[in-house]
Amino acid sequence: MLREKLKTIFEEFEHDGEFYSFKELASGHINDTYLIITRKKPYFVLQRINHGVFKDVPGLIENKVAVSRHIQKKLNDLSEKKKKRRVLAFAKTKDGHSFYKSEDGNYWNLTYFIDKSVTHEIVTSKEIAYQGGKLLGQFLTYTDDFDASQLTEVIPKFHDMSFRYSQFEAALKVASKERLGQAKPYIKKVEALKEEMHILQKLKESGDIKLRVTHNDTKISNALFNKKDKGLCLIDTDTVMPGIVHYDFGDAIRTICNTAAEDETNLDLVEFNVEFYKAYTKGFLKKMKKSISPLELKHLPLAAKTMIFIMALRFLTDYLNGDTYYKTKYAEHNLDRAKNQFKLIQSLTEKYDEVQLENH
Ligand code: GN1
Ligand code: MG
């Protein structure tokens, strides 16, 4: 029974909580995440890390804990109560480790649930977009002096465009005829965008755009807000690694500015929301003014396009591979996600002038 299993694992960790019940938090595509409801607050979040996707789970958890600790130190001027709401806190196992390995070979980690917090799958107000931008800017500012070389590269080449193209090309060779047929119009788009989609990577490789600690999975559902829409903290730090600012800005915009969910199948509902782009950018730059270079700034619109594209490419690749990576709910789920992201790129492209900073 899942209940018994979760209870047993929860009890391997050091805390005062008494297990009462659990609820699956099902928005992620990779890990299994459960809210552990205790008899008396605080509640907890228990997560099984997918070790098929993440090859070095201990390294991943060390990354998360180290980054949280670093941010924790930056919060010194806040009260203890506020501090707890601004950064994830990890529980240790009874024998002092940051993760528990269960008998079936799975890895688990436990964090304190931030009470009275909410997440958004889609953004419905400018204020949330603005607050989301501030949150990411704050995260990147707090981690600016963290030595990125200390971090394990949990998924090497995670946002590397050439790598994602090579995976796509390999998938074309193994895809079924039927899936190739379904994907055909999108395969053409992938080819047409190839050069433009490598611009940021080239700037990174030349050193013109610097490496920082980046979150790498900044979709809006990975941000916690309070019930008055104020941003609290970024969660799901599984993929913190060295990267460029564009990864985080672009991936956030991908979900902030989509007027529909990532897998909405009615593409008429999928539009790029320029007002939210402006609000997010305003919040982001409020925190990043001092640390963003003119070259980084100039490429923010391209970051949005590139990160929407890289997700389209990854969803399409997984569809061609027969759905081996992302969790899917039905056969065409990955294709629908890819179509959705391509529609978003089209909408952004039509409005590209409006998102350039000089037109804000
Ligand atoms: C995956 O599992 P989740 O939902 O946190 C993926 C991200 C994608 C996202 C798309 C390790 O994140 O890169 O942006 O799906 N994470 C990994 O929603 O591949
Ligand atoms: Mg994630």
Side-chain angles (χ1 to χ4, degrees), residues 189-248:
K189 289 185 200 284
V190 169
E191 283 157 3
L193 283 163
K194 192 163 183 176
E195 206 180 309
E196 188 184 7
M197 293 299 102
H198 277 83
I199 294 175
L200 287 174
Q201 177 161 341
K202 287 194 181 134
L203 288 168
K204 171 177 168 256
E205 284 165 358
S206 66
D208 291 335
I209 290 182
K210 74 164 189 175
L211 277 184
R212 317 160 166 265
V213 172
T214 46
H215 179 289
N216 296 308
D217 188 7
T218 49
K219 57 183 179 183
I220 187 64
S221 56
N222 280 337
L224 293 186
F225 295 83
N226 73 13
K227 295 195 172 151
K228 291 180 183 155
D229 292 344
K230 185 170 170 9
L232 293 174
C233 93
L234 290 187
I235 57 171
D236 185 9
T237 43
D238 290 353
T239 46
V240 281
M241 279 181 284
I244 56 175
V245 66
H246 303 89
Y247 295 162
D248 282 357

Side-chain angles (χ1 to χ4, degrees), residues 110-149:
L110 186 75
T111 51
Y112 286 79
F113 176 70
I114 297 182
D115 197 27
K116 299 194 180 100
S117 63
V118 292
T119 53
H120 300 283
E121 291 296 321
I122 53 174
V123 172
T124 48
S125 78
K126 257 166 58 175
E127 179 60 17
I128 296 175
Y130 173 74
Q131 290 285 335
K134 267 176 61 180
L135 259 186
L136 177 61
Q138 185 71 268
F139 179 87
L140 294 177
T141 306
Y142 283 153
T143 54
D144 203 32
D145 59 345
F146 186 97
D147 175 10
S149 68

Side-chain angles (χ1 to χ4, degrees), residues 15 17 38 49 91 107 122 127 147 158 173 187 275 280 295 309 317 337 349:
H15 49 70
T38 50
I49 307 291
Y107 293 88
I122 53 174
E127 179 60 17
D147 175 10
F158 190 52
K173 295 194 181 123
I187 296 172
E275 288 314 305
Y280 187 85
L295 191 67
F309 175 81
T317 301
R337 288 170 175 147
T349 307

Side-chain angles (χ1 to χ4, degrees), residues 153-180:
E153 218 183 334
V154 285
I155 301 184
K157 302 191 174 183
F158 190 52
H159 289 321
D160 183 295
M161 195 58 83
S162 311
F163 173 61
R164 295 303 182 188
Y165 263 91
S166 67
Q167 288 185 316
F168 166 73
E169 279 147 19
L172 288 176
K173 295 194 181 123
V174 298
S176 70
K177 259 209 181 115
E178 195 230 317
R179 289 199 171 205
L180 267 181

